[in-house]
């Protein structure tokens, strides 16, 4: 079955944000409405004023028609009525501007505040969350879903208030003219209410599907662009484009299914409006002929019924906007309810880790969501200013161990201590601000070199930045670039070589004056000579700091106080370099390979 893996992959993404949408999600935005209540009230006041003024226009027309019919109308009189209408229209224009500013302005404020909250919340979530959720899904929430919340809380609320007020007021004016005729005219309307109810749950479901498909597409584009080099190297452009087109087709299909409902709703509500009109022409016309109402009343009545068609149509639209808003809000709420797996301590933490003494003793560690433990029977004791080396086969658990020490995953009470303090009693901030971490996969921002080096210390001076760049043996290459430290390095450092990226990451860590430094395979992409010069030049920086250095090569570890040899999640050997050469077969082998210029593993030809 060709291509079946990819299909499985995309079909199963992100089921966890699929939530039962309910109106309860409104509690997420309720505080914003409360906070901006006075602004909103003024806005609605202006809106209602516009409605009232609009309803007065048919009255003016009625006066004109009645005057004409009774033969009392003069040219000046008609001109005066015309001027009234223009004046009313002008005032309407002013107040329309006012409500748009206030209410739609509010909805934009709400959108941006919610977006900020969402972003801060995302930043608080940990690695475990991002392993479960795709970035594309999060992006879709931050764009499509937020904008449907914005639309519902701006235009949706406006249309709702407007429709209800305008509808009631129009009915009021109609009742004033002729109660029985009003009842006849509005009699077809309950059909509309029933129709809206019947269709709305279906609308809801279909809209949710549209949003989910959009999430999938966003994620697809993101991952394809993020790995564009891979896509090209494997000649996958056409295949990726085809898959995207297929997803697009599903998106269109879902949208059409949604549009089918509108396609039914709007014509039916228009038809019901017109059916009312027919009734008014027939019955109202008879009343006018019989003299129960004047010709002016008849004309005004028709105008009111005409005005009524908007609230009727609007109700369907409003129902839809609210449904969409609530669906999106529920999706956003599900994300906001995500808790970081790594909980922080309550209240402030006055501890400072200054010495960098580390003790770690644990039976097992299992990644959240995994079954098999990745680490077993780990016991580490590092005194202040000592260097711990870690070697081991790929997949042995070296990075996992560093992640735990860097406080990226939760650990049990009484297992990990910094300066003798249990890590679970320290705030994340306290722990993390004691550690400089150079992760194995270097992360760079699409910004300048200077920005990337100074990431942890944005106020660093130019001299400081240059000093650490020299120590990481990258200064010369930076100044050779046309814009030096201000060169932009492209998306995730695409314009740099692998070795340059690594050295940038090391420079970044050296800039931070912290008692503990963890370097996870930070020199794997540089040649031995560069490696040698970096080791020599950073030695003085590392002096006095507690260092944990993971390496596939033995050279950076030769002077370590202790080296751990890891295999299959366990520490299988430990000791300084000289001892390990004697009693660790693994260590002795890699040492021999790396120092004897061993080559010819690939037996070609
Ligand atoms: N986030 C994760 N969730 C589940 N399992 C993971 C996760 N990260 C790593 N693992 C698993 O944990 C084991 C150890 O991985 P780890 O990255 O610690 O190895 P490593 O020693 O750093 O390897 P390398 O030398 O290739 O960097 C591997 O079997 C890997 O599949
Ligand atoms: Mg690793």
């Amino acid at each position: 079955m060709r291509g079946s893996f990819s299909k499985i992959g995309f079909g199963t993404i992100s089921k966890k944000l699929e939530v039962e949408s309910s109106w309860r999600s409104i509690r997420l935005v309720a505080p914003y409405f409360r906070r901006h209540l006075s602004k909103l009230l003024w806005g609605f006041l202006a809106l209602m004023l516009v409605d009232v003024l609009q309803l007065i226009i048919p009255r003016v027309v009625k006066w004109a028609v009645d005057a004409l019919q009774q033969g009392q109308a003069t040219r000046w009189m008609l001109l005066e009525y015309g001027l009234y209408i223009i004046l009313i229209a002008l005032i309407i224009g002013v107040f329309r501007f006012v409500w748009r500013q206030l209410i739609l302005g509010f909805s934009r404020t709400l959108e941006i505040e919610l977006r900020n909250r969402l972003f801060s919340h995302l930043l608080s979530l940990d690695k475990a969350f991002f392993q479960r959720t795709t970035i594309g899904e999060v992006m879709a929430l931050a764009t499509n879903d937020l904008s449907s919340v914005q639309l519902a809380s701006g235009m949706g609320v406006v249309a709702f208030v407007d429709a209800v007020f305008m509808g009631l007021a129009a009915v009021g004016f109609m009742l004033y003219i002729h109660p029985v005729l009003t009842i006849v005219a509005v009699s077809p309307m309950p059909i509309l209410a029933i129709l809206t109810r019947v269709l709305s749950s279906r609308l809801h479901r279909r809209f949710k599907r549209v949003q989910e498909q959009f999430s999938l597409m966003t994620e697809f584009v993101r991952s394809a662009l993020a790995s564009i080099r891979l896509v090209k190297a494997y000649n996958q452009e056409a295949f990726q484009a085809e898959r995207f087109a297929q997803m697009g087709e599903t998106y269109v299909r879902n949208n059409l299914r949604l549009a089918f409902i509108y396609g039914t709703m709007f014509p039916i509500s228009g038809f019901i409006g017109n059916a009312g009109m027919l009734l008014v022409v027939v019955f109202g016309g008879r009343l006018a002929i019989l003299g129960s109402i004047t010709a002016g009343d008849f004309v005004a009545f028709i105008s009111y019924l005409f005005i009524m068609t908007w609230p009727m149509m609007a109700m369907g639209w409003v129902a839809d906007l609210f449904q969409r808003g609530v669906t999106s809000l529920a999706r956003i709420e599900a994300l906001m309810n995500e808790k970081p797996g790594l909980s922080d301590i309550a209240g402030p933490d006055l501890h400072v880790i200054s010495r960098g003494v580390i003790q770690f003793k644990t039976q097992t560690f299992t990644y959240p969501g995994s079954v098999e433990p990745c680490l077993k029977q780990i016991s580490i004791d590092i005194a202040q200013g000592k260097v711990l080396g870690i070697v081991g086969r790929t997949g042995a658990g070296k990075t996992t161990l560093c992640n735990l020490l860097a406080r990226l995953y939760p650990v049990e009470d009484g297992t990990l201590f910094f300066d003798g303090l249990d890590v679970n009693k320290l705030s994340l901030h306290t722990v993390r601000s004691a550690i400089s971490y150079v992760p194995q996969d270097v992360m760079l921002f699409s910004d300048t070199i200077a920005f990337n080096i100074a990431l942890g210390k944005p106020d660093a001076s130019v001299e400081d930045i240059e000093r650490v760049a020299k120590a990481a043996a990258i200064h010369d290459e930076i100044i050779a670039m046309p814009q030096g430290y201000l060169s932009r390095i492209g998306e995730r450092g695409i314009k740099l070589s692998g070795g340059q990226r690594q050295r940038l990451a090391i420079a970044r860590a050296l800039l931070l004056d912290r008692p503990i430094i963890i370097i996870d395979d930070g020199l794997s992409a540089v040649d031995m000579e560069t490696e040698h010069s970096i080791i020599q030049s950073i030695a003085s920086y590392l002096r006095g700091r507690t260092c944990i250095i993971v390496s596939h090569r033995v050279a950076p570890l030769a002077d370590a106080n202790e080296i751990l040899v890891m295999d299959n999640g366990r520490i299988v050997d430990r000791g300084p370099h000289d001892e390990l050469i004697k009693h660790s077969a693994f260590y002795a082998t890699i040492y021999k390979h790396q120092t004897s210029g061993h080559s010819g593993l690939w037996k070609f030809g």
Side-chain angles (χ1 to χ4, degrees):
M1 235 169 75
R2 200 174 155 268
S4 57
F5 275 132
S6 48
K7 290 211 179 85
I8 292 169
F10 269 93
T12 49
I13 276 182
S14 61
K15 285 284 170 234
K16 60 263 147 217
L17 287 183
E18 200 176 286
V19 278
E20 250 342 287
S21 3
S22 85
W23 287 82
R24 266 190 315 228
S25 308
I26 292 200
R27 62 194 153 194
L28 197 66
V29 285
Y32 299 105
F33 279 89
R34 241 173 274 136
R35 187 148 14 105
H36 297 276
L37 197 61
S38 63
K39 197 185 200 180
L40 283 170
L41 288 179
W42 282 114
F44 287 128
L45 200 66
L47 179 66
M48 289 181 203
L49 216 70
V50 169
D51 288 351
V52 170
L53 289 171
Q54 267 177 319
L55 290 165
I56 286 177
I57 293 180
R59 301 264 348 137
V60 181
V61 174
K62 170 201 146 60
W63 294 331
V65 173
D66 283 348
L68 273 172
Q69 204 202 16
Q70 288 156 15
Q72 299 162 344
T74 63
R75 198 190 294 168
W76 288 115
M77 204 183 217
L78 290 178
L79 183 67
E80 198 184 322
Y81 286 138
L83 286 175
Y84 283 153
I85 291 178
I86 287 184
L87 184 68
I88 292 174
L90 267 176
I91 304 174
I92 286 179
V94 172
F95 282 102
R96 197 167 266 160
F97 176 79
V98 171
W99 73 249
R100 286 191 85 90
Q101 283 289 314
L102 292 173
I103 304 177
L104 298 188
F106 158 76
S107 72
R108 288 284 171 205
T109 315
L110 180 142
E111 183 190 7
I112 202 75
E113 287 183 13
L114 204 55
R115 178 170 283 134
N116 292 348
R117 232 177 101 190
L118 197 67
F119 186 58
S120 307
H121 182 67
L122 281 169
L123 291 181
S124 79
L125 294 175
D126 50 24
K127 280 183 98 162
F129 169 79
F130 290 100
Q131 271 167 22
R132 264 181 294 129
T133 317
T134 65
I135 303 289
E137 186 171 15
V138 174
M139 295 296 280
L141 276 175
T143 51
N144 241 14
D145 287 292
L146 261 183
S147 73
S148 70
V149 170
Q150 182 267 328
L151 210 60
S153 49
M155 252 349 213
V157 173
V158 164
F160 177 72
V161 172
D162 188 41
V164 168
F165 185 76
M166 190 88 149
L168 290 180
V171 169
F173 276 88
M174 283 155 76
L175 283 172
Y176 177 72
I177 295 173
H178 201 283
V180 179
L181 184 58
T182 310
I183 292 168
V184 171
V186 300
S187 61
M189 288 188 195
I191 302 173
L192 192 67
I194 296 167
L195 184 80
T196 311
R197 253 203 96 59
V198 171
L199 292 182
S200 77
S201 73
R202 202 162 295 172
L203 199 73
H204 205 62
R205 265 201 313 276
R206 295 189 180 181
F207 176 65
K208 212 161 95 178
R209 230 166 279 149
V210 166
Q211 292 297 76
E212 279 161 9
Q213 185 66 16
F214 185 78
S215 295
L216 290 183
M217 290 173 67
T218 314
E219 171 57 17
F220 187 83
V221 171
R222 189 207 61 79
S223 72
L225 293 182
S227 41
I228 188 72
R229 284 189 283 192
L230 200 65
V231 170
K232 287 187 181 296
Y234 280 76
N235 261 336
Q236 289 293 296
E237 294 97 323
F239 179 61
Q240 296 280 343
E242 193 195 322
R243 276 179 69 192
F244 187 64
Q246 279 169 7
M247 295 172 91
E249 272 168 30
T250 311
Y251 183 64
V252 171
R253 212 173 313 123
N254 290 353
N255 259 309
L256 284 178
R257 285 167 58 81
L258 187 65
F260 179 77
I261 300 189
Y262 299 136
T264 336
M265 250 166 146
F266 280 96
I268 292 179
S269 45
F271 180 76
I272 291 170
N274 286 323
M277 199 66 85
L278 174 78
L279 294 173
V280 170
V281 171
V282 174
F283 291 101
R286 224 163 69 92
L287 289 175
I289 293 168
L290 294 175
S292 304
I293 57 173
T294 66
D297 283 334
F298 179 68
V299 173
F301 202 94
I302 287 186
S303 306
Y304 286 128
L305 197 66
F306 192 68
I307 288 176
M308 280 287 289
T309 41
W310 149 244
M312 281 189 353
M313 308 264 282
M315 275 327 210
W317 185 56
V318 164
D320 168 53
L321 280 185
F322 282 172
Q323 290 289 5
R324 282 171 182 245
V326 167
T327 310
S328 290
L329 209 52
R331 280 161 57 83
I332 294 172
E333 197 186 26
L335 176 62
M336 297 297 272
N337 287 342
E338 286 280 344
K339 296 262 177 304
L342 200 60
S343 53
D344 212 344
I345 59 161
D349 178 12
L350 300 177
H351 295 104
V352 178
I353 300 168
S354 56
R355 291 180 292 141
V357 176
I358 307 175
Q359 280 131 345
F360 185 41
K361 206 177 186 109
T362 189
Q363 281 305 315
T364 57
F365 169 76
T366 310
Y367 274 109
S370 296
V371 251
E372 280 294 304
C374 265
L375 294 180
K376 291 156 224 147
Q377 288 163 357
I378 299 294
S379 139
I380 297 173
D381 219 319
I382 320 173
Q384 179 174 6
K386 299 291 184 209
V387 178
L388 178 78
I390 306 178
V391 291
R393 264 181 246 288
T394 171
K398 305 180 292 294
T399 299
T400 306
L401 183 56
C402 293
N403 280 340
L404 289 185
L405 296 178
R407 195 74 180 111
L408 294 176
Y409 287 96
V411 291
E412 281 168 30
D413 284 349
T415 51
L416 176 59
F417 297 86
F418 287 97
D419 284 4
L421 302 162
D422 190 330
V423 84
N424 286 345
K425 300 215 166 59
L426 299 169
S427 72
L428 294 175
H429 183 260
T430 302
V431 179
R432 292 199 183 136
S433 49
I435 302 173
S436 293
Y437 186 22
V438 183
Q440 187 169 20
D441 41 348
V442 174
M443 284 291 167
L444 295 173
F445 282 87
S446 165
D447 208 292
T448 62
I449 290 187
F451 173 88
N452 271 289
I453 295 181
L455 186 70
K457 199 176 172 188
D459 56 347
S461 68
V462 175
E463 293 75 31
D464 281 342
I465 293 178
E466 288 188 4
R467 189 169 43 82
V468 292
K470 279 180 191 152
I474 191 167
H475 174 74
D476 293 342
E477 283 157 75
I478 296 172
I479 52 171
M481 295 179 190
Q483 283 165 304
Y485 279 84
L486 295 181
S487 311
R488 301 190 76 88
I489 59 170
E491 192 78 19
R492 290 175 309 140
I494 199 164
K495 294 187 193 162
L496 301 177
S497 76
Q500 286 170 333
R501 283 202 285 271
Q502 281 194 334
R503 280 171 288 152
L504 217 59
I506 290 192
R508 174 194 284 171
L510 295 180
L511 189 64
L512 304 176
D513 184 21
R514 295 181 174 177
I516 301 168
I517 180 161
I518 302 176
I519 303 178
D520 186 358
D521 216 10
L523 295 172
S524 59
V526 299
D527 55 86
M528 289 220 189
E529 210 174 310
T530 313
E531 176 182 73
H532 203 70
S533 75
I534 298 175
I535 293 171
Q536 282 191 332
S537 63
I538 67 174
S540 64
Y541 277 89
L542 302 187
R543 202 159 295 133
R545 296 177 212 274
T546 305
C547 305
I548 295 157
I549 302 176
V550 175
S551 176
H552 276 109
R553 301 212 198 112
V554 286
L557 307 178
D559 294 325
N561 300 86
E562 186 181 32
I563 301 167
L564 308 180
V565 181
M566 290 188 70
D567 193 20
N568 202 11
R570 288 173 203 274
I571 301 172
V572 290
D573 255 314
R574 63 200 309 161
H577 174 77
D578 299 337
E579 278 180 32
L580 283 181
I581 287 181
K582 287 182 215 138
H583 65 243
S584 165
F586 176 79
Y587 192 82
T589 315
I590 56 170
Y591 178 69
K592 206 167 86 206
H593 283 183
Q594 288 169 18
T595 49
S596 63
H598 188 95
S599 61
L601 277 174
W602 304 87
K603 304 277 186 234
F604 293 117

